[in-house]
Amino acid sequence: MASGCFVTVEGGEGAGKTTQLAFMRAYLEQAGRRVTPTREPGGTPLGEEIRALLLGHRHDGMALATETLLMFAARAEHLERVIRPALATGHWVLCDRFTDATYAYQGGGRGLPAQRIAILEDWAQGTLRPDLTLVFDLPVEMGLERVGRRGAADRFEREEKAFFERIRAVYLDRARRHPDRYRIVNADRPVEAVRAEVETILAGWLERC
Ligand code: TMP
């Protein structure tokens, strides 16, 4: 059986990932594809416990190395139990954030050198990389305003604007350097316009996976 397609969705806070992921899943299922929707950090029972440690406020002063290694600990579990088995049985894996988020948040946001992340990426993933990564892009202030309306901020959402500007810059830089794998989607538009663009992108990938 052919391997499925590994699609990841990235972006700053409040970019509308969750809404678009639901549309993406419905679109792919209507096209007859089997879909495994999942997220990071998380996606497994152990990974969700790690997510709670990472996003909650019980460990606010967590060291950057700890934060990064926990992201990869959750990722290793996720790869082993969910992502690799799903791809091997021909499922499309739709993942809400993946290793690009580590480059953007721990790398760009917090200043961890990208070479360190690359070592962990190679170790945890081997040669596995997403086939397609959608970067939902919108001005930082707009995203933070949307997030602000949702209620209590998690450990990342509480950061200052400059942190999110650095994150945005890393996502855009990575996307521009590898246009074969990444698509930048302007998320500063009505939901239906974003949806139409995303579905056009996915239509192009239906022939490949
Ligand atoms: P979200 O998926 O609901 O946006 O929340 C996940 C948060 O975790 C988000 O603020 C980004 C952050 N994150 C990292 O800092 N590094 C990572 O590798 C991943 C996957 C997420």
Side-chain angles (χ1 to χ4, degrees):
M1 186 186 294
S3 175
C5 201
F6 184 17
V7 181
T8 61
V9 171
E10 301 279 356
E13 312 294 321
K17 287 183 290 115
T18 311
T19 307
Q20 294 299 330
L21 275 161
F23 292 146
M24 290 166 72
R25 178 184 184 177
Y27 176 82
L28 290 168
E29 286 179 345
Q30 279 210 324
R33 299 305 192 273
R34 288 168 304 154
V35 179
T36 295
T38 187
R39 69 170 180 179
E40 290 212 348
T44 64
L46 174 54
E48 291 295 326
E49 286 194 37
I50 295 174
R51 180 184 177 94
L53 293 173
L54 282 163
L55 300 193
H57 294 287
R58 274 198 299 145
H59 306 287
D60 266 341
M62 184 184 298
L64 176 54
T66 311
E67 181 176 293
T68 308
L69 290 167
L70 283 174
M71 291 292 176
F72 271 100
R75 187 162 297 139
E77 189 73 8
H78 196 203
L79 283 159
E80 170 97 9
R81 308 220 176 272
V82 176
I83 297 175
R84 288 188 189 280
L87 292 173
T89 52
H91 280 230
W92 281 57
V93 172
L94 281 191
C95 194
D96 184 348
R97 297 196 189 278
F98 192 62
T99 306
D100 286 291
T102 314
Y103 283 102
Y105 282 74
Q106 283 65 51
R110 304 233 199 264
L112 187 74
Q115 307 91 283
R116 297 259 180 100
I117 300 169
I119 292 167
L120 295 173
E121 181 179 36
D122 288 342
W123 184 42
Q125 295 168 222
T127 58
L128 182 68
R129 300 290 181 274
D131 297 297
L132 169 66
T133 297
L134 302 182
V135 175
F136 289 103
D137 181 61
L138 89 165
V140 167
E141 249 163 45
M142 205 170 287
L144 291 180
E145 199 195 304
R146 288 188 192 170
V147 167
R149 286 190 233 119
R150 280 185 205 159
D154 68 32
R155 215 168 52 79
F156 293 98
E157 290 165 351
R158 272 196 344 193
E159 292 290 337
E160 81 283 18
K161 185 167 168 261
F163 175 81
F164 296 105
E165 294 287 4
R166 294 194 295 276
I167 286 165
R168 184 182 188 200
V170 170
Y171 276 135
L172 292 178
D173 178 59
R174 289 176 68 75
R176 284 177 185 140
R177 278 192 288 124
H178 300 284
D180 45 325
R181 189 185 120 191
Y182 295 85
R183 295 289 180 278
I184 299 170
V185 177
N186 174 9
D188 176 14
R189 289 180 297 168
V191 169
E192 285 302 326
V194 176
R195 176 185 189 165
E197 182 180 351
V198 168
E199 290 183 354
T200 302
I201 295 169
L202 289 179
W205 279 84
L206 283 175
E207 292 146 31
R208 303 195 215 181
C209 298

